[in-house]
């Protein structure tokens, strides 16, 4: 009986040690992502006149009525503002259009066009199903070397980190400066940073691959999903 109790005690200690090590590793990965991109998060005004190829907007949920969600609208408004200020000549919108009935980038494009962005200056990545995939494809599909990432403050560091890990010169601009995040959002982003850290380390292949389409010329060639085979 004593041996059994001792064995169980040893298992508990090992399990506790494992949990502590995992927790420390997760915290370390988060700190690396945040600290390595801290100086790259800027207001946007200082980017005017820079040699950035495009403003890179990360997608998120759209509403059932075909309108962007408040979070997505915030991202698009900031991207449009930067575009009109002359930060970059093109906008690349990356979101989930992998299925038949859900199309983030289509909603994003229509909103930008309705707010004065010429369709020729809008490129779409229909297979940006995650932040990691979006940044991977920014390099491997869209051949980008310098971008300005636009998304919420809690998220922008992870986007810039992914871009830099693929050799892209990236700056980040918050679309919601001053907005508080919920505990649920914080926890989800904590886990997502760990995932992207590992994926970037291992250079995991994106879920969808496509032929190269450099972000130059007329972006409307990417508006049809079939243009990204």
């Amino acid at each position: 009986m004593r041996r059994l109790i001792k064995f169980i005690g040893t298992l508990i200690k090992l399990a506790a040690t494992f949990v502590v090590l995992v927790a420390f590793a997760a915290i370390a990965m988060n700190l690396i992502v945040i600290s390595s991109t801290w100086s790259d998060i800027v207001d946007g005004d200082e980017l005017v006149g820079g040699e950035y190829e495009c403003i890179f907007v990360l997608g998120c949920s759209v509403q059932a009525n075909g309108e962007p969600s408040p979070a997505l609208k915030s991202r698009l408004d900031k991207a449009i503002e930067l575009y009109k200020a002359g930060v970059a000549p093109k906008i690349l919108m990356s979101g989930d259009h992998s299925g038949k009935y859900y199309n983030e980038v289509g909603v994003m494009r229509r909103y930008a066009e309705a707010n004065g962005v010429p369709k020729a200056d809008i490129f779409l990545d229909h297979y940006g199903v995650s932040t990691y995939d979006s940044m991977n494809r920014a390099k491997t599909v869209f051949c980008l070397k310098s971008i300005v990432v636009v998304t919420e403050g809690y998220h922008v560091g992870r986007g810039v980190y992914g871009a830099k890990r693929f050799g892209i010169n990236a700056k980040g601009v918050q679309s919601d400066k001053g907005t508080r995040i919920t505990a649920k959002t914080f926890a989800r982003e904590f886990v997502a940073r760990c995932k992207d850290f590992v994926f970037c380390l291992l250079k995991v292949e994106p879920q969808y691959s496509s032929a190269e389409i450099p972000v130059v010329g007329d972006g409307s060639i990417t508006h049809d999903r079939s243009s990204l085979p």
Side-chain angles (χ1 to χ4, degrees):
M1 186 68 178
R2 286 183 179 179
R3 289 183 178 179
L4 178 60
I5 293 174
K6 186 178 180 180
F7 177 71
I8 293 173
T10 301
L11 286 180
I12 292 173
K13 288 179 182 179
L14 288 173
T17 301
F18 176 77
V19 170
V20 170
L21 289 174
V22 169
F24 271 112
I27 292 170
M29 286 185 278
N30 270 262
L31 289 176
I32 290 171
V33 171
I34 294 170
S35 64
S36 65
T37 59
W38 190 267
S39 62
D40 294 306
I41 312 304
V42 298
D43 287 334
D45 294 340
E46 61 201 81
L47 301 178
V48 176
E51 297 182 357
Y52 296 97
E53 295 170 275
C54 75
I55 298 158
F56 194 104
V57 191
L58 289 162
C60 63
S61 61
V62 299
Q63 300 183 110
N65 62 0
E67 294 295 321
S69 63
L72 184 55
K73 181 179 181 298
S74 174
R75 298 180 191 188
L76 291 167
D77 286 341
K78 176 57 69 172
I80 293 167
E81 175 189 324
L82 295 174
Y83 168 82
K84 291 182 176 179
V87 169
K90 304 292 182 182
I91 300 178
L92 174 57
M93 300 174 174
S94 182
D96 188 358
H97 183 202
S98 57
K100 185 177 180 180
Y101 300 107
Y102 185 72
N103 184 359
E104 288 178 0
V105 290
V107 171
M108 295 164 74
R109 175 185 61 80
R110 288 191 293 271
Y111 183 86
E113 287 184 16
N115 284 274
V117 181
K119 66 179 182 179
D121 288 342
I122 301 172
F123 282 76
L124 302 183
D125 181 4
H126 300 261
Y127 299 106
V129 295
S130 70
T131 301
Y132 172 81
D133 277 25
S134 293
M135 293 311 168
N136 187 319
R137 290 171 58 82
K139 182 68 174 182
T140 59
V141 176
F142 293 95
C143 309
L144 289 165
K145 297 179 181 178
S146 60
I147 62 175
V148 177
V149 181
V150 177
T151 184
E152 285 95 333
Y154 74 86
H155 184 206
V156 69
R158 180 159 59 98
V160 170
Y161 179 81
K164 291 168 75 71
R165 290 291 293 177
F166 282 100
I168 302 172
N169 174 28
K171 296 293 183 182
V173 176
Q174 299 182 36
S175 61
D176 64 337
K177 193 172 182 179
T179 301
R180 291 185 176 183
I181 65 171
T182 64
K184 181 180 179 181
T185 299
F186 177 86
R188 187 179 68 176
E189 185 63 19
F190 184 90
V191 174
R193 289 192 195 107
C194 295
K195 186 208 79 170
D196 282 14
F197 180 92
V198 173
F199 276 31
C200 285
L201 188 65
L202 300 177
K203 290 294 188 288
V204 175
E205 291 295 320
Q207 188 173 344
Y208 298 92
S209 60
S210 304
E212 289 185 356
I213 303 180
V215 180
V216 293
D218 190 344
S220 62
I221 62 171
T222 65
H223 295 181
D224 184 345
R225 186 172 58 181
S226 63
S227 65
L228 298 177

